[in-house]
Amino acid sequence: MSALLSQGERVVILEVNELSVSYGKIPALHGLALKVHRGEIVTVIGPNGAGKTTLLCALMGLLPARGEIVYLGEQQGVGRSVEKLVRQGMTLVPEKRELFAEMSVADNLLLGAFDRYRVGHRDELETMDQVFDVFPRLMERRQQMAGTLSGGERQMLAMGRALMAKPRLLLLDEPSLGLAPLIIKEIFRTIAQLKKTGVAILLVEQNARAALQVSDYGYVLETGELSLQGPSRELASDERVIESYLGLGGRH
Amino acid sequence: MDLQIALLLGQDGITNGAIYALLALALVLVFAVTRVIFIPQGEFVAFGALTLAGLQAGRLPGTIWLLLALGVVISVIEASRAVRERQFRRIPMILLVNCGVPLLLAGALFALSPAALPLPLQVLLALLVVVPLGPMIYRLAYQPIAEASVLALLIVSVAVHVTLIGLGLLFFGAEGSRTKSFTDVSFAVGDTLLQGQTVLVVVASLVLIVALYFFFERTIYGKALRATAMNRTGARLMGISGSLAGMLSFTLAAAIGAFSGILISPITTIYYDSGFLIGLKGFVGAIIGGLASYPVAAAGAILVGLLEAFSSFWASAFKEVIVFTSIIPVLVWRSLKTRHVEEE
Amino acid sequence: MSRSAIPQATLLLSLFIAALLVAPLLLPEFYLTLLNYIGLYAIVALGLVLLTGVGGLTSFGQAAFVGLGAYTTAYLTTVHDVSPWLTLPAGLLVTALVALSLGLVTLRLSGHFLPLGTIAWGIALYYLFGNLAALGGHTGISGIPPLQFFDLELRSGREFFYLIWAVLLTIILATRNLLDSREGRAIRALKGGAVMAEAMGVNTPRSKLVIFTVAALYAGMSGWLYAHLQRFVNPTPFSLSQGIEYLFMAVVGGVSHVWGAILGAGLITVLKQWLQDWLPSLLGKSGNFEMIVFGLLMILVLQRARDGVWPMLQRFFPQAPVHGPMIKAQALPRRPLPEAGSVLLEVTDACKRFGGLVANDRMSFCVRAGEVMALIGPNGAGKSTMFDGISGVDPLTSGAVSFRGQRIEALPARAIAQRGMSRTFQHVRLLPAMSVIENVAIGTHLRGRKSFVAAAFRSDRGEEARLLQEAAAQIERCGLAEHMHELAGSLPLGKQRAVEIARALASDPCLLLLDEPAAGLRYLEKQALAELLRRLRAEGIGILLVEHDMDFVMGLADRVVVMEFGQKLAAGLPDEIQRNPAVIEAYLGGLE
């Protein structure tokens, strides 16, 4: 399969073309095209309400979508479902974290490996140790109920739980949401580290500067359409990004 | 009333209460995981008892036909979906699980002459026939509208209940049955005679409750069910699909129901529609626990058993009236605690 | 919407009534008996349409209410020789009292406690009927006197037929009238719009209690008729399984349509008759095997056609447009607005915690009459939470909110609405199956007085015309005149947001809370919205605005408060805010 995927050196993990999503009759995303390679962090930035969360939910199979989604070289068809995508190594860390509040941190992590356990892998304890290496704070808190964690710890647990599935593509929805700057810094440092493990990351963020700093390539999403794209370093200095956020230019 | 009668009533109350507690636990579980208010729980009690009685009497229980029929319907639905999705490889497996296994079981019932088998094997066969009906009914009746409102699911539950009652009458007839006693031992405690069968019911219920506790606290599948109850989206993102959790919780509920029926069938005559009232008394317990708390639901169910036993002594004609109106004060108390506008 | 549709609907109804009139003259006794039962069942099923289809609640215990009506008259007429015309109100009173107490107990709880309560109560009452010696135990009460109209005794089913169907048609008419009124809109908002309705001043627990009681009264009425038709009662027809059958009738017929009740009652009754003849001989056993078929039928209906059979028939008959011409009415009185510049709303040290998360942390600000105050901040900063806290939708954990000089932080949403605050929702909360004008008219709820009884008898039309005229005026003001009678759910999101604003305005507020009103609007629509808000400001209304479109905010707001991590980050004039480095940092973020 990998032979089919490679384009020169770089393996395409996810390719999306003409992706459109609507809520009933109300369009939310229109004609999106993007690509994520192995070991790459791709970010989609944009102001509130642009449709970033919708994009990730559609990719994960939580929302019905039109258009072409090719994941690991396989065209996603009628049978597309969250469960199937999880089995194929796609994992979403949702904006609302969606933790199991009345369970311990360790149990939350364990359930991250549920699908791997189900297909016969029994390496959940080693994986958990690896996750504890990435997030030592979770190790300290492993007996604590997830509902009692602070905002930053919750985000770490949500990411840790996702890593328990040993994903090939990690979808991160606003990891900085509602977090204080120091913690955001820690989270993003971790995201940059994860890249070294070879996992591909699609990072959706409102916090444009942080996202562009850790990512390789970026897209700007505005009112359901991709308005700009380019290597993150170039986007970071593009005036139009600031405009799209703060409306300083008064342009329409 | 003297002490001896009180002890007898208490013994009765606890025995029934233990069964209600098991049912209450299953009801809370099913509701928490699937949002289904599982009214047909009681029918599994009756089917379990009557299937065992049928096996002991050397009759082929009608439930095996239901198992075969549901298997065929599910096979047709699943196979046509596989064809639509062009996943032809899945078809043999679908047929094997849904048609092959029930056929094998039916063949075994034919070949083995179950009436002659030892009791534990009869119980096992009865469970093998009845328990799979749980997940099959989930698959056919509930899964297609798993996302519907609690209200719609409740109406489906009532419809399933009505269907199963009708089928129960068709399979087992209107006359009641008792199964053979598991044990003839009895103990003298003071002046009172403690029946071994009664002790068995209480002990078996306790063992089952402890086993359930371990299942939920120690196994990954048990934790997955709890996770689904807490956060459906979160669980889905871990690959714990709603239908997996639904099937699993219905399997457990059906097993608990059928097992309860088998436990009480030597001490109570079970009719095709007896299960309903038994199940509803489990419900009263579950409602006392707000359909959310396992320990409170179990305690509530024991209370229901005691209330029933003592009211059958004082006002036997109004036993059911007293038991079922007892949820009114519970609801009053719950209602005073809530102050919230809720969106369904 | 063709004009000829109105006479066609009337024509069908007239044909139906004519058929009913001649039926007793033509049909043999057997069919008349069947029709009588269909009528009696339809009266009960109609209550379930109101309760389940419209209100989103349900009951399996309606048969027990039928029993209350029947047993009350049976007992009073046979034991105490009371006239049947006096036992009708007595039976209804008993039914209403039981329904009210059961409703008060269960309706505050989640939706499923009511049906569970009705199951328990249905069983309890069945056993009570069967075991009370005074009510004849399981043998029941016989020798109930016939009904008498002056000298005419209604002794046969043929004579009774007219009474049953006249009652049924009257109740259908009254139910339709009720639903097409101020209280009716509140009832129709219960299913899926309770939070919005509360924010518009509707007392939703009261509305639920009303429909539960009305449904019970219909059942009690049916019971009274039944007792005098049969002239004999015993517990069997009032058992839980009959209660379940009533619900099946409503669901199969079409639980959201008044005519679905008749259709369902007819279908189930005829099907039952037929199956009872046919199934036992097919299966070679006797028993209530029709319940197997009914159960399977219900599962299929709920899975495949949750709206029942009536909507399928409806497709063949063009629907009359639901709205008549607008009648000119006197304008509603308006609330005097506070003087421009005076403080309307003052929030002090507001905190909101969800478990360990702090969504609002010691927020303080004020809004004055005649100004636009904008609350901005990145996603997750706690702005919508702040709105919910101020408007009483989700009360604050601590802190004070005063509105026009009165403390309101402990009040429920509807009491805050009463004091002149109105809001829109970030996630649009319209009732998609209702027209735009009906949605907006919910906003006028607190400006009318007429009760549901007045609505049922149509003595509310004067007030109703004034409310609708007000709603229409606000719709025009928000630029939606051409969509007035379209279904709210068919509009694009931007227009739906405008409907939300019109609904808020229809309550005649002095403070307007707008949660992202410009999201999803096109450029010209945004300009029109800004223009509308400027006009409202000029009238002296205070506006608190949460919005992400910075062009929109900066061009409109008089003052801006910026939130981050639930706290106030900055406050000032728009120009100052745009140049504030901390604000730019908050929005764009950064790692140093």
Side-chain angles (χ1 to χ4, degrees):
Chain A
M1 185 159 68
S2 54
L4 281 173
L5 295 174
S6 44
Q7 293 183 331
E9 298 286 295
R10 306 172 70 205
V11 180
V12 180
I13 297 279
L14 176 76
E15 183 165 2
V16 169
N17 280 307
E18 284 298 317
L19 182 81
S20 298
V21 179
S22 39
Y23 295 103
K25 286 180 190 169
I26 302 151
L29 292 178
H30 183 68
L32 263 55
L34 55 83
K35 217 185 258 187
V36 184
H37 298 91
R38 188 164 78 194
E40 183 183 48
I41 301 182
V42 173
T43 187
V44 176
I45 55 173
N48 251 335
K52 302 189 296 294
T53 295
T54 305
L55 170 64
L56 289 194
C57 288
L59 291 177
M60 195 66 224
L62 286 166
L63 287 174
R66 276 165 292 121
E68 186 189 54
I69 303 174
V70 181
Y71 176 59
L72 300 177
E74 198 181 309
Q75 179 96 32
Q76 300 291 315
V78 261
R80 194 171 78 107
S81 73
V82 180
E83 293 77 17
K84 244 181 234 174
L85 289 167
V86 168
R87 174 122 342 146
Q88 293 172 353
M90 191 191 286
T91 306
L92 167 67
V93 180
E95 188 183 1
K96 291 182 186 155
R97 317 322 191 212
E98 313 283 8
L99 299 173
F100 309 122
E102 291 145 60
M103 280 190 187
S104 67
V105 167
D107 280 351
N108 268 275
L109 290 175
L110 180 70
L111 286 169
F114 177 80
D115 198 64
R116 282 177 58 77
Y117 186 92
R118 214 179 150 201
V119 296
H121 296 282
R122 290 293 180 273
D123 55 357
E124 65 276 358
L125 293 180
E126 293 97 276
T127 322
M128 204 181 293
D129 285 337
Q130 290 163 15
V131 169
F132 286 147
D133 287 342
V134 180
F135 297 108
R137 192 96 64 97
L138 295 181
M139 174 78 170
E140 293 162 27
R141 303 246 183 258
R142 68 183 179 282
Q143 297 305 334
Q144 209 172 316
M145 293 290 140
T148 63
L149 297 180
S150 74
E153 288 162 350
R154 284 179 197 210
Q155 178 57 32
M156 290 176 197
L157 178 54
M159 286 173 63
R161 189 179 62 171
L163 292 176
M164 288 294 292
K166 300 202 167 175
R168 303 169 92 166
L169 174 63
L170 190 57
L171 307 175
L172 297 177
D173 195 354
E174 303 250 6
S176 78
L177 186 76
L179 300 185
L182 266 177
I183 299 173
I184 296 179
K185 202 170 147 186
E186 197 176 330
I187 296 275
F188 274 88
R189 201 184 302 132
T190 315
I191 294 173
Q193 270 176 29
L194 287 180
K195 187 181 159 176
K196 291 174 200 143
T197 66
V199 62
I201 297 177
L202 182 59
L203 166 69
V204 148
E205 255 301 343
Q206 183 182 253
N207 188 332
R209 283 188 185 151
L212 291 173
Q213 220 159 324
V214 295
S215 61
D216 303 294
Y217 198 83
Y219 297 86
V220 181
L221 188 63
E222 252 186 299
T223 56
E225 290 178 49
L226 292 175
S227 58
L228 282 173
Q229 60 172 292
S232 298
R233 202 163 309 161
E234 290 170 26
L235 280 186
S237 53
D238 196 318
E239 282 296 316
R240 289 173 295 175
V241 175
I242 301 177
E243 283 171 15
S244 82
Y245 273 71
L246 280 179
L248 291 173
R251 147 203 70 90
H252 272 274
Chain B
M1 164 187 311
D2 56 23
L3 185 67
Q4 194 179 351
I5 296 181
L7 278 176
L8 263 177
L9 292 176
Q11 187 186 327
D12 243 26
I14 299 229
T15 318
N16 288 337
I19 296 293
Y20 300 154
L22 278 179
L23 299 178
L25 294 182
L27 293 167
V28 173
L29 164 71
V30 168
F31 182 71
V33 174
T34 63
R35 298 178 308 127
V36 168
I37 294 180
F38 194 43
I39 304 277
Q41 169 80 293
E43 275 62 73
F44 283 90
V45 176
F47 282 13
L50 293 172
T51 302
L52 180 63
L55 291 177
Q56 290 181 346
R59 286 190 301 263
L60 201 59
T63 29
I64 187 74
W65 300 118
L66 182 59
L67 188 70
L68 287 167
L70 294 182
V72 170
V73 178
I74 292 177
S75 301
V76 170
I77 292 176
E78 293 288 359
S80 63
R81 205 179 82 178
V83 169
R84 248 196 338 271
E85 287 173 16
R86 317 208 152 272
Q87 304 246 327
F88 302 105
R89 281 169 305 157
R90 280 175 29 209
I91 293 177
M93 194 61 185
I94 290 170
L95 290 176
L96 181 70
V97 170
N98 294 296
C99 294
V101 174
L103 270 174
L104 209 65
L105 196 60
L109 290 187
F110 261 119
L112 287 176
S113 67
L117 290 174
L119 187 62
L121 276 181
Q122 291 175 337
V123 170
L124 183 69
L125 279 177
L127 289 175
L128 281 177
V129 173
V130 178
V131 174
L133 297 176
M136 286 171 136
I137 287 173
Y138 175 79
R139 171 66 192 84
L140 288 173
Y142 296 97
Q143 192 181 307
I145 56 163
E147 300 305 316
S149 64
V150 173
L151 195 67
L153 291 170
L154 172 60
I155 300 178
V156 169
S157 270
V158 169
V160 171
H161 151 70
V162 161
T163 310
L164 290 182
I165 285 272
L167 289 173
L169 178 62
L170 184 63
F171 296 153
F172 303 110
E175 58 288 342
S177 305
R178 267 189 201 225
T179 56
K180 286 180 200 135
S181 197
F182 289 97
T183 166
D184 296 326
V185 184
S186 58
F187 316 90
V189 179
D191 296 337
T192 326
L193 205 61
L194 203 55
Q195 294 296 332
Q197 183 67 34
T198 314
V199 177
L200 185 74
V201 170
V202 176
V203 171
S205 305
L206 279 177
V207 168
L208 202 53
I209 288 174
V210 171
L212 280 174
Y213 175 82
F214 275 99
F215 174 72
F216 285 118
E217 290 295 322
R218 295 291 152 82
T219 69
I220 194 165
Y221 282 92
K223 286 174 184 174
L225 278 186
R226 280 169 59 213
T228 309
M230 281 176 214
N231 187 331
R232 228 165 290 269
T233 313
R236 259 191 102 189
L237 290 173
M238 302 301 107
I240 309 164
S241 72
S243 55
L244 173 72
M247 299 269 212
L248 202 53
S249 55
F250 269 67
T251 308
L252 278 175
I256 291 173
F259 191 68
S260 306
I262 288 171
L263 275 181
I264 53 165
S265 57
I267 45 176
T268 324
T269 307
I270 301 284
Y271 298 86
Y272 74 100
D273 61 351
S274 300
F276 185 47
L277 281 188
I278 299 175
L280 280 183
K281 285 170 193 162
F283 250 114
V284 176
I287 288 174
I288 293 175
L291 282 174
S293 159
Y294 292 93
V296 181
I302 304 243
L303 215 63
V304 171
L306 288 171
L307 182 67
E308 187 189 17
F310 282 91
S311 53
S312 70
F313 177 76
W314 277 308
S316 113
F318 296 100
K319 183 180 82 174
E320 314 292 0
V321 180
I322 293 171
V323 168
F324 286 107
T325 36
S326 74
I327 73 162
I328 302 282
V330 176
L331 292 175
V332 172
W333 168 67
R334 290 222 156 262
S335 142
L336 291 177
K337 288 205 316 185
T338 351
R339 294 235 164 281
H340 187 56
V341 178
E342 199 167 333
E343 205 79 89
E344 277 292 309
Chain C
M1 300 271 162
S2 66
R3 289 209 147 263
S4 68
I6 306 171
Q8 192 172 356
T10 320
L11 188 71
L12 283 172
L13 184 63
S14 320
L15 276 176
F16 183 63
I17 293 174
L20 285 178
L21 283 174
V22 298
L25 308 176
L26 301 175
L27 291 176
E29 195 71 30
F30 172 78
Y31 289 102
L32 274 183
T33 308
L34 211 56
L35 279 176
N36 276 340
Y37 279 105
I38 291 174
L40 287 177
Y41 296 154
I43 293 174
V44 185
L46 190 62
L48 284 172
V49 165
L50 187 63
L51 191 62
T52 307
V54 180
L57 304 166
T58 206
S59 159
F60 297 101
Q62 293 310 96
F65 289 121
V66 179
L68 278 182
Y71 265 99
T72 309
T73 189
Y75 178 74
L76 289 178
T77 51
T78 54
V79 178
H80 297 288
D81 282 329
V82 182
S83 152
W85 299 110
L86 292 178
T87 60
L88 175 60
L92 292 182
L93 187 69
V94 172
T95 313
L97 285 178
V98 173
L100 280 174
S101 27
L102 200 65
L104 277 174
V105 171
T106 51
L107 285 171
R108 269 175 194 284
L109 301 171
S110 314
H112 49 272
F113 279 98
L114 177 70
L116 286 179
T118 61
I119 290 183
W121 121 266
I123 293 179
L125 204 79
Y126 171 73
Y127 282 102
L128 197 65
F129 286 147
N131 286 299
L132 276 182
L135 297 182
H138 283 285
T139 31
I141 302 176
S142 53
I144 302 170
L147 289 181
Q148 211 169 357
F149 276 102
F150 305 103
D151 286 339
L152 174 67
E153 276 197 347
L154 301 185
R155 281 186 173 274
S156 76
R158 212 170 280 276
E159 288 149 351
F160 226 91
F161 177 86
Y162 290 114
L163 180 62
I164 289 176
W165 283 85
V167 168
L168 176 57
L169 287 178
T170 311
I171 289 183
I172 286 190
L173 200 66
T175 310
R176 287 181 57 139
N177 288 347
L178 170 58
L179 290 178
D180 177 31
S181 74
R182 168 179 165 273
E183 289 278 5
R185 284 185 291 270
I187 291 169
R188 287 151 77 194
L190 289 175
K191 199 160 112 181
V195 168
M196 174 277 290
E198 283 276 323
M200 294 300 132
V202 176
N203 186 340
T204 54
R206 181 178 158 276
S207 293
K208 287 181 184 174
L209 200 57
V210 165
I211 54 172
F212 184 59
T213 311
V214 169
L217 286 175
Y218 288 180
M221 179 81 200
S222 173
W224 178 79
L225 287 167
Y226 173 85
H228 290 286
L229 172 67
Q230 286 276 317
R231 317 249 315 270
F232 160 75
V233 293
N234 74 352
T236 316
F238 314 125
S239 67
L240 181 65
S241 57
Q242 183 62 40
I244 291 172
E245 222 168 280
Y246 283 129
L247 188 69
F248 284 8
M249 290 177 191
V251 172
V252 168
V255 77
S256 312
H257 305 268
V258 287
W259 297 106
I262 297 188
L263 183 67
L267 284 175
I268 294 283
T269 310
V270 171
L271 192 62
K272 185 175 182 173
Q273 192 68 40
W274 181 64
L275 288 173
Q276 275 179 342
D277 287 344
W278 186 68
L279 275 184
S281 59
L282 180 81
L283 298 169
K285 288 183 186 178
S286 63
N288 296 335
F289 297 122
E290 74 277 1
M291 292 314 275
I292 303 175
V293 179
F294 285 175
L296 294 176
L297 180 69
M298 273 302 285
I299 296 171
L300 275 182
V301 164
L302 284 162
Q303 288 184 356
R304 294 296 164 87
R306 215 170 295 171
D307 296 330
V309 178
W310 180 256
M312 300 178 195
L313 291 185
Q314 224 175 7
R315 250 176 272 156
F316 298 106
F317 308 113
Q319 270 292 284
V322 281
H323 60 95
M326 294 294 281
I327 307 161
K328 266 277 165 226
Q330 202 189 343
L332 289 172
R334 290 203 56 185
R335 160 194 337 261
L337 289 172
E339 193 188 330
S342 63
V343 173
L344 268 180
L345 178 80
E346 184 140 30
V347 179
T348 319
D349 284 338
C351 295
K352 177 71 184 179
R353 287 187 199 90
F354 297 102
L357 290 180
V358 185
N360 290 151
D361 189 8
R362 282 166 288 127
M363 281 293 296
S364 298
F365 60 90
C366 73
V367 183
R368 299 197 179 88
E371 75 165 354
V372 175
M373 224 293 277
L375 195 57
I376 66 169
N379 218 344
K383 304 177 299 286
S384 289
T385 309
M386 191 77 250
F387 260 39
D388 287 348
I390 295 172
S391 62
V393 165
D394 193 359
L396 297 172
T397 313
S398 67
V401 183
S402 43
F403 178 50
R404 301 169 72 192
Q406 285 174 306
R407 295 284 289 268
I408 58 163
E409 71 272 6
L411 296 179
R414 56 175 183 270
I416 296 175
Q418 181 100 52
R419 285 165 169 71
M421 187 192 297
S422 201
R423 66 168 294 178
T424 66
F425 291 90
Q426 182 194 358
H427 300 290
V428 174
R429 289 181 188 261
L430 296 176
L431 297 163
M434 274 163 68
S435 69
V436 169
I437 188 164
E438 286 179 305
N439 267 286
V440 174
I442 292 175
T444 68
H445 188 80
L446 288 171
R447 301 173 78 181
R449 304 243 105 64
K450 296 286 187 186
S451 71
F452 56 95
V453 181
F457 294 107
R458 282 287 184 214
S459 69
D460 65 336
R461 289 299 97 180
E463 181 186 278
E464 176 74 0
R466 294 174 74 187
L467 296 181
L468 287 180
Q469 178 173 282
E470 171 70 15
Q474 298 302 347
I475 289 169
E476 274 164 30
R477 198 177 191 189
C478 294
L480 295 162
E482 74 262 39
H483 303 294
M484 186 130 21
H485 298 290
E486 288 171 28
L487 294 186
S490 69
L491 298 184
L493 188 58
K495 293 242 177 355
Q496 292 194 10
R497 290 190 181 282
V499 177
E500 286 245 326
I501 298 174
R503 185 180 64 204
L505 287 175
S507 69
D508 187 26
C510 47
L511 176 66
L512 200 54
L513 271 53
L514 302 176
D515 202 345
E516 298 196 27
L521 295 195
R522 292 169 213 289
Y523 182 62
L524 284 176
E525 291 169 333
K526 278 184 189 172
Q527 296 227 303
L529 175 63
E531 193 45 48
L532 171 68
L533 297 188
R534 283 193 190 98
R535 273 206 312 273
L536 293 173
R537 169 169 66 186
E539 284 174 22
I541 293 179
I543 298 173
L544 179 60
L545 175 75
V546 163
E547 183 49 61
H548 288 295
D549 184 324
M550 289 302 155
D551 284 341
F552 185 82
V553 168
M554 298 306 175
L556 184 67
D558 298 295
R559 293 186 300 132
V560 179
V561 166
V562 187
M563 281 182 82
E564 197 188 18
F565 312 126
Q567 295 172 330
K568 186 154 82 173
L569 178 72
L573 301 174
D575 290 352
E576 298 165 5
I577 293 296
Q578 272 178 307
R579 284 192 303 270
N580 185 329
V583 175
I584 295 174
E585 187 75 3
Y587 263 81
L588 287 176
L591 300 173
E592 260 43 323

